[in-house]
Amino acid sequence: MNLRKKITPLRILGMLIAVVVIFAVVMPYLWMLLTSFKSTPEIMKNPDKILPIHWSINGYIKVLTRSPFFIWFTNSLLVSVSVTLLVLLTSSLTGYIFAKYQFRLKNLLFWLILASMMVPFSVTMIPNFLIVNKLGLYDSLAALIVPMMVSGFGIFLCRQFCEDIPDSICEAAKIDGAGDFRIYFTIILPLLRPCLAALAIFTFLESWNDYLRPLIMLEKVDSMTLPVALSFFSTQHGNDLSATMAAAALVMMPVTIVFLVFQKHFIKGIALTGSK
């Protein structure tokens, strides 16, 4: 009885739209994954068939043996993890300072940080490249890590969460003899855990999927990260569709694992950022 009341035409329409959206989002990824298990002649001969007739892992073998894939993977992992850890540190520390301390030009500096979020990367691309080149970091992984170690969005998010922490907790810690850094490490950081989890996921995914910045900052093949390396590999093996699809699947695999493992934090993070 209750079930009949719940099934309304509007609900059915919403479910149909959701199914269509899910199909449109998942289908390209599923097609890429299944195509990677086909041979190139089979892809050319039966382009309309989704499931492989003869399952093959030759594409993966070619990617892993004919390219420095593990070097590219290590580069991407090193850059993404380093950027994520540095953004968590700088964002939580700066957000804590803006939320709990009073100093001159505080509001002006915070508004400047907010304004920096409105500037697209295409505008700052050339200045960033010139600064990195002057610092002697061009064509090194540091060229991707140093400019990304501070996030305006991360500072804004942490500051909003720190403002919700009662001042009385910090004052009680100071009365007990705790210094500023001890309060930050022992009180503020544990309370910011949900915020930092969401920020870590967003930062890692953004850094892992970044294509334009590594394309500008890196030159050597061994210095490339996976998104740029995938484009390079596709150019070098344009006729081998099986290997190209296998390379694309390998690039997407770590991000997919991160999403599946941390999907609860990912959804919660979107809800938290929206509510803040």
Side-chain angles (χ1 to χ4, degrees), residues 29 32-33 36 60 63-64 67-70 72-73 76-77 80 204-205 207-211 224-234 243-258:
Y29 180 73
M32 176 197 69
L33 191 62
S36 67
Y60 290 92
V63 174
L64 297 177
S67 68
F69 180 83
F70 290 106
W72 295 336
F73 180 85
S76 279
L77 191 64
S80 301
F204 183 86
L205 294 180
S207 180
W208 184 273
N209 293 323
D210 190 11
Y211 174 77
M224 291 179 178
T225 54
L226 281 176
V228 180
L230 176 62
S231 176
F232 173 78
F233 184 85
S234 302
T244 303
M245 289 296 110
L250 287 172
V251 171
M252 291 298 298
M253 195 174 295
V255 181
T256 306
I257 292 172
V258 168

Side-chain angles (χ1 to χ4, degrees), residues 84-155:
T84 302
L85 292 177
L86 287 170
V87 164
L88 292 182
L89 177 65
T90 56
S91 297
S92 59
L93 188 57
T94 312
Y96 166 57
I97 292 171
F98 271 109
K100 297 301 179 187
Y101 290 86
Q102 299 297 329
F103 51 90
R104 292 183 63 185
L105 305 178
K106 172 184 170 182
N107 291 331
L108 176 62
L109 291 174
F110 187 69
W111 281 110
L112 286 175
I113 291 174
L114 291 183
S116 69
M117 295 167 55
M118 314 300 171
V119 181
F121 175 68
S122 55
V123 175
T124 60
M125 184 170 57
I126 295 177
N128 267 333
F129 174 79
L130 294 175
I131 292 172
V132 166
N133 198 30
K134 284 285 184 184
L135 292 174
L137 302 177
Y138 176 70
D139 201 21
S140 68
L141 296 183
L144 305 179
I145 297 172
V146 173
M148 295 291 292
M149 59 191 295
V150 178
S151 165
F153 170 72
I155 294 172

Side-chain angles (χ1 to χ4, degrees), residues 33-47:
L33 191 62
L34 293 173
T35 304
S36 67
F37 290 103
K38 298 178 182 178
S39 63
T40 299
E42 184 182 337
I43 297 172
M44 302 296 291
K45 190 176 180 181
N46 302 301

Side-chain angles (χ1 to χ4, degrees), residues 46-57:
N46 302 301
D48 298 332
K49 291 196 174 184
I50 297 178
L51 288 175
I53 299 174
H54 303 289
W55 292 78
S56 169
I57 59 170

